Amino acid sequence: MSRSESLAAYFRAQARRCLDRVESNDAGRNARSALALLDAAAYAAGLPDDDPLIERLAEAGCFGAPGNDGFDPGPEATRMVRFWEGGEPRELILALPAVAASTA
Protein backbone atom coordinates (compact mmCIF):
# COMPACT_ATOMS: atom_id res chain seq x y z
CA MET A 1 0.00 0.00 0.00
CA SER A 2 1.39 3.42 -0.91
CA ARG A 3 1.64 6.18 1.65
CA SER A 4 -1.17 8.11 -0.05
CA GLU A 5 -3.39 5.02 0.07
CA SER A 6 -2.48 4.48 3.72
CA LEU A 7 -3.42 8.07 4.58
CA ALA A 8 -6.71 7.71 2.68
CA ALA A 9 -7.48 4.44 4.50
CA TYR A 10 -6.80 6.15 7.83
CA PHE A 11 -9.23 8.97 7.01
CA ARG A 12 -11.88 6.46 5.86
CA ALA A 13 -11.50 4.50 9.12
CA GLN A 14 -11.91 7.69 11.15
CA ALA A 15 -15.00 8.59 9.08
CA ARG A 16 -16.51 5.16 9.83
CA ARG A 17 -15.79 5.74 13.51
CA CYS A 18 -17.73 9.02 13.35
CA LEU A 19 -20.65 7.35 11.62
CA ASP A 20 -20.74 4.60 14.25
CA ARG A 21 -20.90 7.07 17.16
CA VAL A 22 -24.30 7.62 18.65
CA GLU A 23 -24.66 10.87 20.54
CA SER A 24 -28.15 12.14 21.15
CA ASN A 25 -27.27 15.84 21.12
CA ASP A 26 -24.42 16.12 18.64
CA ALA A 27 -26.43 18.42 16.31
CA GLY A 28 -25.03 16.59 13.27
CA ARG A 29 -21.37 16.97 14.27
CA ASN A 30 -20.53 13.31 13.68
CA ALA A 31 -22.15 13.34 10.25
CA ARG A 32 -20.32 16.55 9.26
CA SER A 33 -17.05 15.11 10.50
CA ALA A 34 -17.58 11.85 8.60
CA LEU A 35 -18.31 13.71 5.37
CA ALA A 36 -15.27 15.97 5.80
CA LEU A 37 -13.04 12.95 6.47
CA LEU A 38 -14.38 11.10 3.43
CA ASP A 39 -13.57 14.19 1.39
CA ALA A 40 -10.06 14.20 2.87
CA ALA A 41 -9.71 10.49 2.04
CA ALA A 42 -10.62 11.11 -1.60
CA TYR A 43 -8.16 13.99 -1.75
CA ALA A 44 -5.36 11.97 -0.10
CA ALA A 45 -5.90 9.00 -2.41
CA GLY A 46 -5.19 11.26 -5.39
CA LEU A 47 -1.85 12.52 -4.07
CA PRO A 48 1.35 11.01 -5.44
CA ASP A 49 3.69 9.59 -2.80
CA ASP A 50 6.26 12.27 -3.64
CA ASP A 51 3.79 15.10 -2.99
CA PRO A 52 5.18 17.64 -0.48
CA LEU A 53 2.20 17.02 1.83
CA ILE A 54 2.98 13.29 2.01
CA GLU A 55 6.68 14.01 2.47
CA ARG A 56 5.92 16.38 5.39
CA LEU A 57 3.87 13.66 7.06
CA ALA A 58 6.72 11.18 6.57
CA GLU A 59 9.24 13.65 8.04
CA ALA A 60 6.98 14.07 11.08
CA GLY A 61 7.10 10.30 11.62
CA CYS A 62 3.48 9.63 10.71
CA PHE A 63 4.35 6.54 8.66
CA GLY A 64 6.41 4.77 11.28
CA ALA A 65 9.74 3.12 10.64
CA PRO A 66 11.25 3.04 7.13
CA GLY A 67 9.58 0.36 5.07
CA ASN A 68 6.39 0.54 7.11
CA ASP A 69 3.82 2.62 5.28
CA GLY A 70 1.03 2.31 7.84
CA PHE A 71 -0.24 5.78 8.72
CA ASP A 72 -0.38 6.62 12.42
CA PRO A 73 -0.06 10.30 13.40
CA GLY A 74 -0.24 9.61 17.14
CA PRO A 75 -2.94 10.26 19.74
CA GLU A 76 -3.08 14.07 19.65
CA ALA A 77 -3.32 14.25 15.85
CA THR A 78 -5.91 11.47 15.87
CA ARG A 79 -7.94 13.49 18.36
CA MET A 80 -7.73 16.50 16.03
CA VAL A 81 -8.85 14.36 13.07
CA ARG A 82 -11.79 12.94 15.01
CA PHE A 83 -13.12 16.44 15.66
CA TRP A 84 -12.51 17.75 12.12
CA GLU A 85 -15.82 19.03 10.81
CA GLY A 86 -14.90 20.78 7.62
CA GLY A 87 -12.54 22.87 5.66
CA GLU A 88 -10.33 21.97 2.80
CA PRO A 89 -8.73 18.51 2.98
CA ARG A 90 -5.38 20.15 2.32
CA GLU A 91 -5.80 22.21 5.53
CA LEU A 92 -6.29 19.04 7.57
CA ILE A 93 -3.26 17.34 6.04
CA LEU A 94 -1.13 20.46 6.55
CA ALA A 95 -2.06 20.60 10.24
CA LEU A 96 -1.19 16.96 10.97
CA PRO A 97 2.65 17.12 10.93
CA ALA A 98 2.84 19.90 13.55
CA VAL A 99 0.46 18.12 15.91
CA ALA A 100 2.11 14.74 15.34
CA ALA A 101 5.61 16.15 15.86
CA SER A 102 4.59 17.94 19.05
CA THR A 103 3.65 14.65 20.68
CA ALA A 104 6.40 12.44 19.25
Side-chain angles (χ1 to χ4, degrees), residues 7-8 11 35-45 84 89 92-93:
L7 176 60
F11 285 145
L35 289 172
L37 291 171
L38 290 172
D39 191 27
Y43 180 81
W84 184 259
L92 174 58
I93 297 170

Side-chain angles (χ1 to χ4, degrees), residues 11-39 79-86:
F11 285 145
R12 284 191 295 273
Q14 294 303 317
R16 278 191 299 277
R17 182 188 175 283
C18 289
L19 290 173
D20 289 342
R21 286 185 63 93
V22 176
E23 296 178 282
S24 60
N25 295 319
D26 82 343
R29 184 185 60 79
N30 286 316
R32 283 190 305 278
S33 184
L35 289 172
L37 291 171
L38 290 172
D39 191 27
R79 191 169 306 129
M80 181 188 75
V81 168
R82 288 180 178 170
F83 288 98
W84 184 259
E85 287 189 45

